[in-house]
Amino acid sequence: MTLPLWFSLFTATVVISLTPGAGAINTMSNSLSVGWRRSFWGVLGQQFALLLHIAIVAAGVGVLVANTPALFNAIRWLGAAYLVYLGIRLIVATPQPQAETAGAGGASAWALLRRGFWVNLLNPKAIVFFLAFLPQFIRPDQPLAPQYLILTATVVGVDLLVMWGFFASAAKPFRRYAATPRGARTLNSVFGALFIAVAGLLLLVH
């Protein structure tokens, strides 16, 4: 991969990662509920989903998903349902003092990682997006493995830095507000509503 082509990939990936979506909402919510450091586990889970998305597209399965309406819609509805579940769970959650819990609902590192993974994975539009995005940076007349390694490292590395370095950090000023039951309840409701809104967009925007 030439340097100009890589720089184009890098720039596009930064713009895409900075675009607010379910992953950004999940990251900010985790940062508020369990703290900036521990929110890394959720970000890491999201990167595992990105790795799987890239592997799916590279293996050609993405074409099958994109060209099979029933499969695409099944994943789309499942993803939306999961986001609605997360939203409702946040809205009805009983706020707990941060000193007494590892996070909202006592979330463990594994729970944060698992939730981040499913939030990113259950988005069929991500597969279709990668299907249109990745081929632009792959040259079929050159060895594929090194190209996919560079592409994967760039996409995952940039998204990890943006999610943890930007979105998780952006939530830090609200931590003091989240420390009170009233503040935590308000922020949970806001992020819960955002999860539900993203689920609606996932279903309505084609």
Side-chain angles (χ1 to χ4, degrees):
M1 184 178 293
T2 63
L3 185 59
L5 185 61
W6 177 83
F7 187 73
S8 298
L9 169 66
F10 174 80
T11 303
T13 303
V14 170
V15 173
I16 293 164
S17 294
L18 284 171
T19 303
I25 295 169
N26 184 60
T27 299
M28 294 183 73
S29 176
N30 287 341
S31 183
L32 284 171
S33 62
V34 302
W36 178 74
R37 289 187 178 182
R38 295 191 68 242
S39 69
F40 176 78
W41 292 105
V43 174
L44 188 61
Q46 293 171 198
Q47 304 318 306
F48 285 139
L50 280 185
L51 287 174
L52 190 52
H53 276 148
I54 294 173
I56 287 172
V57 172
V61 180
V63 176
L64 174 64
V65 174
N67 293 329
T68 309
L71 180 57
F72 179 86
N73 286 325
I75 299 174
R76 187 163 62 97
W77 279 94
L78 186 60
Y82 185 64
L83 292 178
V84 170
Y85 162 75
L86 291 179
I88 294 175
R89 188 177 175 185
L90 271 177
I91 292 172
V92 303
T94 302
Q96 300 177 4
Q98 292 172 4
E100 296 179 9
T101 179
S108 64
W110 170 244
L112 294 170
L113 188 146
R114 185 177 63 244
R115 186 171 71 184
F117 176 79
W118 287 114
V119 163
N120 258 12
L121 185 67
L122 293 175
N123 184 0
K125 291 186 181 296
I127 298 177
V128 176
F129 169 78
F130 276 121
L131 195 61
F133 179 71
L134 297 187
Q136 301 178 46
F137 303 97
I138 298 295
R139 296 295 177 262
D141 58 330
Q142 299 176 12
L144 295 179
Q147 295 184 75
Y148 272 109
L149 283 175
I150 294 172
L151 185 146
T152 301
T154 302
V155 170
V156 172
V158 167
D159 195 66
L160 191 152
L161 289 175
V162 168
M163 287 297 151
W164 201 42
F166 178 75
F167 285 112
S169 297
K172 291 170 75 173
F174 298 95
R175 280 281 285 169
R176 182 174 299 179
Y177 183 65
T180 66
R182 181 179 180 181
R185 187 176 295 108
T186 299
L187 290 172
N188 280 349
S189 297
V190 169
F191 281 102
L194 287 173
F195 270 125
I196 295 172
V198 171
L201 289 174
L202 186 62
L203 294 178
L204 295 177
V205 178
H206 295 278

